[in-house]
Amino acid sequence: MKFGIRKQRNHLGGCRLQSGPGSLILESGAEAATPSFSDDGKNTIASQLVSRLREAIISGQLEAGSKINLDRAKQSFNVSLSPLREALARLISDGLVEFEDNRGYRVSPVSLSNLEEITSLREEFETYALRESMRVGDVEWEGNVMRALHRLNRAERDASKPETLEQWEAVHREFHLTLISGCRRPLLLNFCKTMLNLNDRYRRTFLTRTSGDRNVSVEHSEIAQGTVARDMDYACDRLREHIHRTGTNLRRHLAEKGIA
Amino acid sequence: MKFGIRKQRNHLGGCRLQSGPGSLILESGAEAATPSFSDDGKNTIASQLVSRLREAIISGQLEAGSKINLDRAKQSFNVSLSPLREALARLISDGLVEFEDNRGYRVSPVSLSNLEEITSLREEFETYALRESMRVGDVEWEGNVMRALHRLNRAERDASKPETLEQWEAVHREFHLTLISGCRRPLLLNFCKTMLNLNDRYRRTFLTRTSGDRNVSVEHSEIAQGTVARDMDYACDRLREHIHRTGTNLRRHLAEKGIA
DNA sequence: GCTTGACAAATAATCGATGATTTTTCAAAA
DNA sequence: TTTTGAAAAATCATCGATTATTTGTCAAGC
């Protein structure tokens, strides 16, 4: 007996979860597009908060390293303490939030060494997962890869339009996750997803546009083509280069901003 | 102004956090041995609960796949709902607990495919971390490895005495973590630690003693010797075999118990 | 001026109660 | 007998208030 939009008769009246002044208004347009599926796993306030907080951190709206004041966060997200704490606790696993007893939560700081670890772990883990996917992935997975590539190529990335940036980020993330989704290893996929999140935070914070000497579309296409052709070495080498180049670019931008 | 045992004047009177009938009494003797260091990171009830719940799950006291009834857990751990929920939320990251909106928390189930994934991921990434450790690890790390090996060799593993089993588990875990602790990659170490936890749950649940055709002490010694000698291929091969053998044994025991 | 320690303010952590959802029960209808 | 659906019970989720800890302030002592 679950269909359509949930009743959600909580204490907040109609204007539930509206956000603070000017910022943090998230994912309110997207879910209107698919109204009958809007309740997959985001029924509770705590779960909604996990998504909203994650997005706020990855997008850079919540500054890296900054302390998360519970009272203020409570107000700007218009929620009460219990779901907020629970959501933050879950975000620790993502590496996006840190916690210390009696000192509360803070947004994980960024650093050069952290970025370098993320990059090298992505190189290792994502190519491993890609290889496994090519080994055991089925035809449906291949189709998903091609579809994800197509969507990515169609999505334009115009820095002047924030909504296209959001959209590009979503399909880009989806592309990388689809590539490795054939491997049938939930724990590995979960870890790769976490690393991708962390990486995206750096990209969205420090990289407004790609470096001139890259054609990222071609890189994506080569990876995808090699993948569906099951050319393991070729696909993995392209993917590794792709990850490595982004890491190098990011490292330069961090250095420019004086981040150690 | 933090020394010695914390005041901890909470509402529970003297008999705080005592557990339910007959089971789940954990880590009460150990902390008396090191009274002046008992408060590293476990001040709050929620954080204490994380440790206690993790240990209860890994040791098998909380049955795999079973639902965690919040009311009952609240009572048997003698805590209130807020820290309990927060602790469980944090444990999701460890892969020890699963969660579903409005259906609550449950202990992650065990399965053959889960075990196989854990084993193969350990083979890949523990050897990767070991190689990195040998590449960049310093002398202090080498010393730590030899000390961990020594402690492991000294610890006896008598199935008839549960407290020695606990002790052996602790030093065994410490040995494996120390091996890779030289790599200077917190995210990688964290992942390996998680996999080790998951693996230990299988071992402690399904393997009361090691198979007769193994000399685990020798295996550990070979790994450690190869490691401090920085013989990368040798050490990694020994470690991989070690992990693989345990995986094979476990798989057999799971099959015997009819677990798919 | 610098340190120290008590006090106050800010913040984090916990609790008990209440609201919301899921699960169970059970009688009526098919 | 099986199915259905409403009511009851059990359980989960959230809230507001209370308690505990940390941080900030500032005057007294050195």
Side-chain angles (χ1 to χ4, degrees):
Chain A
M1 191 150 292
K2 43 160 54 181
F3 54 89
I5 297 162
R6 187 156 288 265
K7 276 163 251 168
Q8 192 82 19
R9 38 184 135 90
N10 57 20
H11 317 283
L12 302 173
C15 60
R16 68 183 213 270
L17 288 183
Q18 80 184 59
S19 73
S23 69
L24 297 172
I25 302 175
L26 305 168
E27 57 179 349
S28 43
E31 64 183 329
T34 54
S36 51
F37 292 108
S38 64
D39 65 349
D40 22 43
K42 298 190 179 182
N43 290 306
T44 63
I45 297 179
S47 294
Q48 292 172 359
L49 271 177
V50 170
S51 303
R52 296 179 63 191
L53 283 164
R54 181 186 290 126
E55 179 63 20
I57 294 172
I58 293 178
S59 71
Q61 292 178 278
L62 287 176
E63 191 191 1
S66 67
K67 190 152 176 9
I68 298 174
N69 181 299
L70 293 174
D71 268 331
R72 278 194 285 274
K74 212 174 68 160
Q75 298 204 335
S76 61
F77 286 94
N78 198 19
V79 296
S80 134
L81 208 57
S82 320
L84 178 60
R85 288 189 70 95
E86 193 165 335
L88 287 168
R90 283 192 227 164
L91 281 174
I92 297 175
S93 53
D94 288 356
L96 294 170
V97 157
E98 295 182 350
F99 172 80
E100 197 179 353
D101 272 352
N102 287 319
R103 301 239 176 113
Y105 294 88
R106 70 170 53 245
V107 182
S108 296
V110 294
S111 70
L112 201 56
S113 67
N114 182 243
L115 170 66
E116 284 171 349
E117 183 179 7
I118 291 164
T119 302
S120 69
L121 289 182
R122 278 192 70 201
E123 286 184 40
E124 290 300 321
F125 280 73
E126 253 180 78
T127 54
Y128 176 66
L130 180 58
R131 207 172 281 271
E132 285 296 296
S133 292
M134 284 187 275
R135 202 166 60 80
V136 303
D138 54 18
V139 179
E140 190 186 335
W141 163 73
E142 287 183 6
N144 291 340
V145 169
M146 294 314 292
R147 179 178 57 187
L149 174 68
H150 183 74
R151 285 184 180 166
L152 180 55
N153 284 334
R154 278 285 187 272
E156 63 170 339
R157 193 185 182 195
D158 187 343
S160 66
K161 297 185 203 160
E163 71 276 11
T164 63
L165 261 179
E166 290 286 331
Q167 188 58 30
W168 186 87
E169 286 292 341
V171 292
H172 181 249
R173 172 189 162 79
E174 187 62 27
F175 172 71
H176 276 280
L177 289 179
T178 304
L179 275 177
I180 59 178
S181 67
C183 70
R184 296 179 200 161
R185 290 172 191 258
L187 293 168
L188 176 61
L189 278 176
N190 189 54
F191 184 77
C192 288
K193 194 184 288 185
T194 301
M195 291 303 115
L196 197 56
N197 275 343
L198 292 175
N199 188 75
D200 283 356
R201 179 168 70 134
Y202 280 93
R203 187 154 41 66
R204 291 171 76 164
T205 308
F206 298 100
L207 220 63
T208 46
R209 59 163 185 263
T210 44
S211 138
D213 61 340
R214 287 180 73 183
N215 190 329
V216 179
S217 285
V218 171
E219 293 181 20
H220 288 139
S221 292
E222 288 176 347
I223 296 168
Q225 298 294 347
T227 295
V228 296
R230 314 261 173 170
D231 189 338
M232 292 190 182
D233 290 340
Y234 177 79
C236 287
D237 285 350
R238 292 295 85 71
L239 177 59
R240 187 182 285 268
E241 286 171 6
H242 179 70
I243 294 167
H244 196 83
R245 281 181 187 144
T246 302
T248 304
N249 282 347
L250 280 172
R251 204 162 50 208
R252 194 170 57 240
H253 282 256
L254 257 68
E256 283 174 7
K257 295 212 175 184
I259 293 171
Chain B
M1 187 153 287
K2 42 160 52 183
F3 55 89
I5 296 164
R6 184 156 289 263
K7 276 163 250 169
Q8 191 83 23
R9 39 184 135 91
N10 57 22
H11 317 281
L12 302 172
C15 60
R16 68 182 212 272
L17 288 182
Q18 80 184 59
S19 74
S23 69
L24 296 173
I25 302 174
L26 305 168
E27 59 179 347
S28 43
E31 64 183 329
T34 55
S36 50
F37 293 108
S38 62
D39 66 348
D40 20 45
K42 300 191 178 183
N43 291 307
T44 63
I45 297 179
S47 293
Q48 293 172 358
L49 271 177
V50 170
S51 303
R52 295 178 64 193
L53 283 164
R54 181 187 289 126
E55 178 64 21
I57 294 172
I58 293 178
S59 71
Q61 291 177 280
L62 287 176
E63 191 190 1
S66 68
K67 187 153 178 8
I68 298 174
N69 182 298
L70 292 174
D71 270 327
R72 278 195 286 274
K74 212 175 66 160
Q75 298 205 334
S76 59
F77 286 94
N78 198 20
V79 295
S80 133
L81 208 56
S82 320
L84 179 60
R85 289 189 69 96
E86 193 165 335
L88 287 168
R90 285 192 226 164
L91 281 173
I92 297 176
S93 52
D94 288 352
L96 295 170
V97 158
E98 297 182 350
F99 171 80
E100 196 178 356
D101 271 352
N102 288 317
R103 302 240 175 113
Y105 295 88
R106 69 170 54 246
V107 182
S108 296
V110 293
S111 69
L112 201 56
S113 66
N114 182 243
L115 170 66
E116 285 171 349
E117 182 178 9
I118 291 164
T119 302
S120 69
L121 289 180
R122 279 191 70 202
E123 284 185 42
E124 285 304 316
F125 295 109
E126 245 178 86
T127 55
Y128 174 64
L130 180 59
R131 206 173 282 270
E132 285 296 296
S133 292
M134 285 187 273
R135 200 167 62 79
V136 303
D138 55 17
V139 180
E140 190 187 334
W141 163 72
E142 287 182 5
N144 291 339
V145 169
M146 294 314 291
R147 178 177 59 184
L149 175 67
H150 183 74
R151 284 184 180 166
L152 180 55
N153 284 333
R154 278 285 187 273
E156 63 170 339
R157 193 184 181 196
D158 187 342
S160 67
K161 297 184 203 160
E163 71 277 11
T164 64
L165 259 179
E166 289 287 330
Q167 188 58 29
W168 187 87
E169 286 293 341
V171 293
H172 180 250
R173 173 189 161 78
E174 188 63 27
F175 172 73
H176 276 280
L177 289 179
T178 304
L179 276 177
I180 59 178
S181 67
C183 72
R184 297 179 200 160
R185 287 165 191 257
L187 293 168
L188 176 61
L189 279 176
N190 190 54
F191 181 75
C192 288
K193 193 184 290 184
T194 301
M195 290 303 116
L196 197 56
N197 275 342
L198 292 175
N199 189 73
D200 283 356
R201 178 168 71 135
Y202 280 94
R203 188 154 40 66
R204 291 171 75 165
T205 307
F206 298 101
L207 220 62
T208 46
R209 59 163 184 264
T210 44
S211 135
D213 61 341
R214 287 180 73 183
N215 190 331
V216 179
S217 285
V218 170
E219 294 181 19
H220 288 139
S221 292
E222 287 177 347
I223 297 168
Q225 297 295 347
T227 295
V228 296
R230 314 257 173 173
D231 188 337
M232 291 191 183
D233 290 340
Y234 178 80
C236 287
D237 285 350
R238 293 293 85 71
L239 177 59
R240 188 184 283 270
E241 286 172 4
H242 178 73
I243 294 167
H244 196 84
R245 282 181 187 143
T246 302
T248 304
N249 282 347
L250 279 172
R251 205 163 46 207
R252 194 169 56 240
H253 282 256
L254 258 67
E256 283 174 8
K257 296 212 175 183
I259 292 171

